[in-house]
Amino acid sequence: MATAIYPGSFDPPTLGHLDIIRRSAAIFNELVVCVMHNGAKGQSLFTCRERAQLLESITADIPNVRIETQGGLLADYVKNYEEPVVIRGLRAVTDFEYEFQMAAINKKLNCKMETMFMVASDKYTFLSSSVVRELGKYGREMSCFVPKAVEEAVHKKLSGELCKSAPA
Ligand code: COA
């Protein structure tokens, strides 16, 4: 199959994201992982460039994966592709409503765009980037949730954060 696009905020990328990346890359000829901005979320922990660098390092062994960063609307970005297929992971029923709405809006904005959902592997259904950021604030070990490079980056970014936010 042709090229697929896996968009997300990836702040930071987790083993759950990596699982979706590996499984999608095994199906499609090429997978473009696209770091984007989610308007519903506040300030990100990592810059767009940092998130892309983390994704580059954790997917370095998957030859048909390419990392990009994009501002703007997903429906506009995928116009660069003739038959755009967008992959999104579903962890639980709770993801469905939001994803269903996004897929429907994107289809209205770009009728050529198809959204395909991949069910998250059991062991990652509880996982999210915010859980990782929260554990990072407390300096906790998180090797079951993120690759080593991401764990190091989170700890580096958040070192001293807890002291700063401790109640007086
Ligand atoms: N395993 C583990 N965690 C997963 C996961 C999986 N398989 N799939 C999703 N998640 C988690 C993420 O960790 C993240 O957690 P968080 O909410 O705690 O940060 C959450 O689910 C969703 O994050 P992610 O998939 O990285 O991205 P997103 O949902 O924030 O991305 C965009 C949404 C960027 C694709 C969307 O906002 C977008 O298209 N933006 C561009 C502008 C646009 O076109 N908007 C829509 C039209 S109005």
Side-chain angles (χ1 to χ4, degrees), residues 6-12 14-17 19-20 34-41 71-75 88-91 95 98-99 102 105-106 109 118 120-121 124-131 133:
Y6 179 31
S9 46
F10 305 110
D11 186 38
T14 66
L15 287 176
H17 292 125
D19 173 58
I20 300 284
C34 192
V35 180
M36 301 195 82
H37 178 65
N38 182 339
K41 292 181 180 170
L73 291 175
L74 177 62
R88 294 286 293 164
L90 281 184
R91 290 163 299 171
D95 282 343
Y98 168 75
E99 294 297 340
M102 277 303 127
I105 290 170
N106 283 326
L109 295 171
M118 184 168 275
S121 298
Y124 301 127
T125 48
F126 62 90
L127 187 52
S128 72
S129 298
S130 25
V131 162
R133 294 194 299 272

Side-chain angles (χ1 to χ4, degrees), residues 139-159:
R140 299 302 288 259
E141 202 268 338
M142 49 177 99
S143 56
C144 343
F145 308 135
V146 289
K148 190 92 195 125
V150 174
E151 180 170 7
E152 284 170 6
V154 171
H155 286 316
K156 198 169 162 201
K157 186 69 107 173
L158 289 170
S159 56

Side-chain angles (χ1 to χ4, degrees), residues 11 38 55 59 63 76 78 99 102-103 114 168:
D11 186 38
N38 182 339
L55 282 161
T59 60
D76 288 338
V78 300
E99 294 297 340
M102 277 303 127
E114 295 295 351

